[in-house]
Amino acid sequence: MAAKVITITSGKGGVGKTTATANIGAALAKGGHTVACIDADIGLRNLDVVMGLENRIVYDLVDAVEGRCRLKQAMIKDKHIPGLFLIPSAQTRDKNAVSPTDMIRLCDELRSEMDYILIDSPAGIERGFRNALAPADEVIVVTNPEVSAVRDADRIIGIIEAEEKGPAKLLINRLNPEMVRHKNMISADDVVDLLAIQLIGIIPEDKNVIISTNTGVPVATDGKSLAGEAYRNVSLRLQGNTVPFMDLSKGSGLFGLISNVFGTGE
Amino acid sequence: MGKKNIEIKGIRDGILVEISSGDWKKREKELLDHIKNNKQFFKGGRLALDVGSHKLKTDRLASLRNALSDQNITLWAVKSSSLVTERTAQNLGLSIRIQQSTAEQQGEFPSSTIEGEEAVFVQRTLRSGHKIKHVGHVIILGDVNPGAEIVAGGNIIVWGRLRGTVHAGAKGDEEAVVCALQLSPTQLRIADKISISPAEDRKVEPEIAQLKDGQVIARNWNSRSG
């Protein structure tokens, strides 16, 4: 079984790449797949925190790349979900400790044993981002419905196209249906219209996400959370299923799960 | 061999490496070997390449850039007589012009071209960070997104939505025009005049912008003939 390598990136920082990686990883693993999440943000690691695995780190990505440990030793098993693994990044090094070639080699080593390899990219368009992009089979660009985030997403999508890793898929995070209704937030339609790439999911703003980030239990495992539901849908779409988009425009966005807003997505 | 396959020169913006014709893989290896043997000289440097007539697609240029990046060298520009290579370099966000002297600069952007003779045609969406600079006219089939920039000596025609920054008649041609299916640029310049789009939502219709009495005026395309 050869794994699919999916890089999650954004350009702008703070839009939710790490949360998305943890949740998509959790949802895929819940669906019975083996998933390795790699934190490529060397020097500013936090995927381990979001996944609640910080205190289990012995070896990290740079150790594995520089041969201080075997790759297996750097892989941390998730506490709750079987088949979910984390390769944490180093906190005390910087992006130059790893090269794009290292990342390709590392992923190739993992491919035979995993179904999915998710790479959490650092913000920016420099070395760290190139590292995360190099081994990718598929790329997900995360953005918020904000002008600055969308602008950076556009830039990143351009670079991904130039590197022939495209077309990237779009994940809109932290959409607030209430604010969109009052025209205080850009709508998902407008974002898709500008970026003109395939939409893979819309994650509504949900305070459960913040709670789950703090507790280290991905919201995707929470059956009642709307954001969790949205992340599970993303994971289904990644597996090639057609899942209608949640209708977030009705009511206060609670259970308006009526099909189809943006077409089938395929 | 009289002439070396790889020539290294110092220019204002760092180091310029000229690569002779022949097998690209060989030349690439020669360059990388040379760099490995002279690590101290190249370390942390900014490198421009003149690849002559080598036709390079994205995978080749990207792999070279990654290899250079592994050596802590930033590739920032690629000069070539091949259009394929120039386009690849632009796609990778690399500059395709290396400023060597003011004389050469003028040569690359002559002020005396005949109007309407030269044009580039680009069939894709220009995203944030993309820049097109051309001495003649520029025609885009696709959108020009915010953050993208077009500078043309002549006219700019966008068959799509224009939301980035454009400068027509950049060499001072006040007759230059900008037209787009939807004209809502971040900033629009014609010759030395600068204008910004009105804040209110514009109708989505083809428009043409030109200078009238020293002011940029945008008009509906249909009413133009009347």
Side-chain angles (χ1 to χ4, degrees):
Chain A
M1 180 90 212
K4 189 184 258 182
V5 181
I6 305 174
T7 294
I8 293 151
T9 189
S10 69
K12 187 177 179 295
V15 298
K17 286 179 294 296
T18 301
T19 317
T21 309
N23 280 291
I24 295 170
L28 286 169
K30 273 264 179 187
H33 299 280
T34 47
V35 183
C37 299
I38 303 179
D39 189 347
D41 198 352
I42 300 161
L44 290 169
R45 76 172 179 216
N46 47 33
L47 183 58
D48 53 321
V49 182
V50 173
M51 291 174 75
L53 299 170
E54 190 183 12
N55 54 11
R56 304 194 177 196
I57 298 176
V58 180
Y59 294 109
D60 57 44
L61 178 67
V62 178
D63 290 325
V65 164
E66 294 182 348
R68 273 189 297 279
C69 69
R70 281 176 290 110
L71 184 52
K72 279 270 167 62
Q73 291 175 291
M75 289 173 66
I76 304 168
K77 242 197 192 116
D78 188 76
K79 284 183 286 193
H80 310 289
I81 310 170
L84 181 60
F85 299 88
L86 165 73
I87 298 178
S89 106
Q91 184 70 308
T92 52
R93 301 292 294 273
D94 70 26
K95 268 101 192 164
N96 293 318
V98 172
S99 75
T101 332
D102 291 331
M103 289 298 288
I104 295 173
R105 191 165 43 85
L106 195 112
C107 287
D108 285 346
E109 203 175 314
L110 278 174
R111 270 180 207 266
S112 58
E113 293 163 42
M114 294 286 147
D115 297 324
Y116 291 93
I117 300 170
L118 305 185
I119 302 178
D120 182 17
S121 156
I125 53 173
E126 288 85 22
R127 177 63 170 265
F129 162 67
R130 308 270 173 199
N131 284 343
L133 189 63
D137 301 319
E138 229 175 84
V139 185
I140 297 178
V141 173
V142 185
T143 188
N144 295 152
E146 280 169 38
V147 177
S148 59
V150 172
R151 178 76 57 93
D152 288 355
D154 192 41
R155 175 98 168 91
I156 281 283
I157 293 164
I159 295 172
I160 294 164
E161 282 170 359
E163 298 273 357
E164 291 172 1
K165 295 286 187 184
K169 292 184 172 145
L170 181 66
L171 181 66
I172 301 175
N173 192 21
R174 300 188 61 186
L175 186 95
N176 184 326
E178 190 78 14
M179 285 179 74
V180 172
R181 209 169 28 248
H182 292 107
K183 302 230 187 292
N184 290 324
M185 186 180 262
I186 316 170
S187 73
D189 271 339
D190 286 346
V191 177
V192 174
D193 190 45
L194 182 93
L195 297 178
I197 57 172
Q198 191 197 324
L199 187 65
I200 188 102
I202 304 172
I203 314 298
E205 188 154 54
D206 182 345
K207 64 180 190 308
N208 291 317
V209 173
I210 298 170
I211 299 169
S212 85
T213 304
N214 292 336
T215 56
V217 182
V219 74
T221 59
D222 176 356
K224 287 192 284 287
S225 147
L226 206 60
E229 167 97 36
Y231 274 120
R232 286 194 294 279
N233 288 346
V234 171
S235 88
L236 290 171
R237 289 186 197 109
L238 279 175
Q239 295 167 59
N241 300 307
T242 304
V243 184
F245 285 87
M246 294 191 283
D247 188 350
L248 301 166
S249 63
K250 300 273 159 59
S252 58
L254 262 179
F255 291 104
L257 303 177
I258 307 167
S259 67
N260 194 306
V261 185
F262 301 98
T264 59
E266 240 57 56
Chain B
M1 280 191 290
K3 198 170 180 282
K4 278 201 285 184
N5 287 333
I6 288 166
E7 294 258 4
I8 305 204
K9 294 178 175 174
I11 54 167
R12 199 173 57 198
D13 292 318
I15 302 165
L16 172 68
V17 178
E18 291 178 2
I19 297 177
S20 67
S21 56
D23 181 45
W24 172 253
K25 284 269 165 212
K26 264 190 204 152
R27 294 288 174 273
E28 184 184 31
K29 191 174 175 302
E30 281 166 4
L31 172 63
L32 292 173
D33 286 347
H34 186 84
I35 287 171
K36 271 180 201 138
N37 294 333
N38 297 280
K39 267 203 178 118
Q40 283 311 313
F41 177 72
F42 287 98
K43 202 175 176 198
R46 280 164 53 77
L47 194 77
L49 282 180
D50 185 346
V51 300
S53 58
H54 281 288
K55 256 189 210 165
L56 301 179
K57 290 267 179 66
T58 306
D59 53 339
R60 292 215 155 159
L61 205 51
S63 82
L64 176 59
R65 187 186 54 194
N66 288 342
L68 290 171
S69 150
D70 287 347
Q71 300 289 335
N72 236 326
I73 297 166
T74 314
L75 178 64
W76 69 277
V78 172
K79 199 177 156 187
S80 171
S81 57
S82 151
L83 284 175
V84 175
T85 309
E86 282 202 338
R87 203 170 57 213
T88 307
Q90 278 181 322
N91 284 342
L92 288 172
L94 299 168
S95 170
I96 57 165
R97 279 173 217 285
I98 303 160
Q99 292 192 355
Q100 276 178 304
S101 66
T102 35
E104 187 162 325
Q105 225 179 310
Q106 278 167 358
E108 283 174 345
F109 212 91
S111 53
S112 60
T113 7
I114 305 159
E115 246 79 57
E117 287 296 310
E118 234 188 296
V120 283
F121 173 70
V122 178
Q123 185 173 356
R124 66 188 177 102
T125 292
L126 292 192
R127 296 186 180 277
S128 174
H130 287 156
K131 181 171 180 175
I132 290 189
K133 200 173 169 188
H134 183 66
V135 63
H137 312 290
V138 175
I139 302 151
I140 310 284
L141 176 50
D143 292 346
V144 178
N145 284 356
E149 197 180 338
I150 302 172
V151 179
N155 304 323
I156 296 171
I157 294 155
V158 178
W159 190 264
R161 289 172 293 199
L162 170 51
R163 291 186 273 200
T165 295
V166 290
H167 190 177
K171 280 304 211 175
D173 179 8
E174 300 197 337
E175 302 288 302
V177 300
V178 176
C179 21
L181 291 186
Q182 185 192 327
L183 189 70
S184 32
T186 312
Q187 199 185 82
L188 189 154
R189 304 181 198 173
I190 295 176
D192 58 348
K193 300 291 185 293
I194 300 177
S195 68
I196 55 175
S197 290
E200 80 266 20
D201 276 339
R202 300 181 73 108
K203 284 165 285 182
V204 181
E205 59 186 14
E207 286 185 292
I208 178 166
Q210 55 198 148
L211 281 187
K212 212 171 184 185
D213 305 324
Q215 270 206 309
V216 178
I217 305 287
R219 279 182 307 160
N220 179 295
W221 180 263
N222 298 323
S223 65
R224 187 171 166 269
S225 50

